[in-house]
Amino acid sequence: MFEYLNGKLVKISPTNIVIDVVGIGYLISVANPYAWSALMNTEVKIYVHQVIREDAHSLYGFVNEAEKALFLRLISVSGIGPKSALAIIAAADNEGLITAIDNSDIKYLTKFPGVGKKTAMQMVLDLAGKFDATGTVGISLLDAGPAGNLALEEAIEALQALGYKATELKKIEKKLAQETGLTSEEYIKSALKLMMK
């Protein structure tokens, strides 16, 4: 129904952003909300996909059309819902994801939250060889300014919202805390890299 929205970014939370379009606030779930921090209170264009269920009408947002296309491919796999697809996209390692799918690397794929062995095998079965250059895309936005522990706390909240367990996050939190001056987005990317090892 919707292709994209143009509006002012007015709110960021661990799981969502809110875009004000002519006085209407659209709540949009995105892979890494804090990646949008540098764009707060500015006009943004966000590509969206609407999911309609009995109990909810939800919007999922993407930086560009390639990220949206990857999301749509992921949710076409049995066992992967929108939340799991966002968690996979949040890792921002699309090249690694595509390589893992094409090489049937089940161990790599099961590192994503909500992806077990059966779902990983289904991803390989459904998606192997179906990605082209448009599937490989950088997902970062603009770099935000430096932040302190608040940025790390926001990153941990966002990772929990994506489905990572508190025990997994505790293992890497000390390493992340040693990296000072990072934005929430940078902490999230760093955390995802550490968890994917």
Side-chain angles (χ1 to χ4, degrees):
M1 181 176 183
F2 299 112
E3 179 64 20
Y4 62 85
L5 295 172
N6 276 327
K8 186 177 182 181
L9 176 60
V10 294
K11 184 179 177 185
I12 297 173
S13 73
T15 56
N16 307 295
I17 61 174
V18 176
I19 305 292
D20 183 315
V21 180
V22 196
I24 299 172
Y26 288 90
L27 181 69
I28 304 168
S29 297
V30 293
N32 182 355
Y34 296 110
W36 298 82
S37 295
L39 302 173
M40 190 68 175
N41 295 316
T42 63
E43 291 290 318
V44 297
K45 179 178 185 177
I46 182 167
Y47 290 86
V48 293
H49 176 70
Q50 184 177 25
V51 174
I52 299 174
R53 296 208 167 111
E54 254 183 59
D55 58 343
H57 291 223
S58 305
L59 285 175
Y60 296 89
F62 313 97
V63 175
N64 53 40
E65 291 179 275
E67 185 179 277
K68 181 178 177 179
L70 177 59
F71 174 85
L72 293 174
R73 283 189 177 162
L74 288 171
I75 63 171
S76 72
V77 176
S78 177
I80 297 182
K83 186 176 177 182
S84 294
L86 284 183
I88 292 168
I89 289 171
D93 181 22
N94 294 346
E95 197 171 311
L97 172 66
I98 292 164
T99 301
I101 290 170
D102 287 342
N103 294 330
S104 302
D105 188 349
I106 304 301
K107 186 177 178 184
Y108 179 90
L109 296 173
T110 56
K111 290 183 180 182
F112 294 108
V115 178
K117 190 174 179 182
K118 184 178 177 184
T119 303
M121 291 189 297
Q122 191 66 46
M123 286 172 74
V124 170
L125 183 66
D126 291 353
L127 301 177
K130 293 187 179 175
F131 290 100
D132 55 17
T134 62
T136 308
V137 55
I139 299 178
S140 63
L141 294 170
L142 301 174
D143 292 328
N149 287 338
L150 177 62
L152 178 57
E153 289 173 26
E154 289 175 340
I156 296 296
E157 284 179 35
L159 289 164
Q160 286 176 326
L162 287 170
Y164 288 97
K165 295 181 178 113
T167 52
E168 294 173 302
L169 296 173
K170 282 216 180 279
K171 291 177 186 174
I172 61 162
E173 194 170 358
K174 286 181 184 176
K175 288 182 183 176
L176 292 174
Q178 293 170 356
E179 301 177 34
T180 57
L182 298 183
T183 64
S184 300
E185 175 190 11
E186 290 165 339
Y187 275 124
I188 290 168
K189 286 182 179 178
S190 184
L192 291 168
K193 284 180 187 172
L194 288 170
M195 287 190 285
M196 296 308 287
K197 286 182 180 176

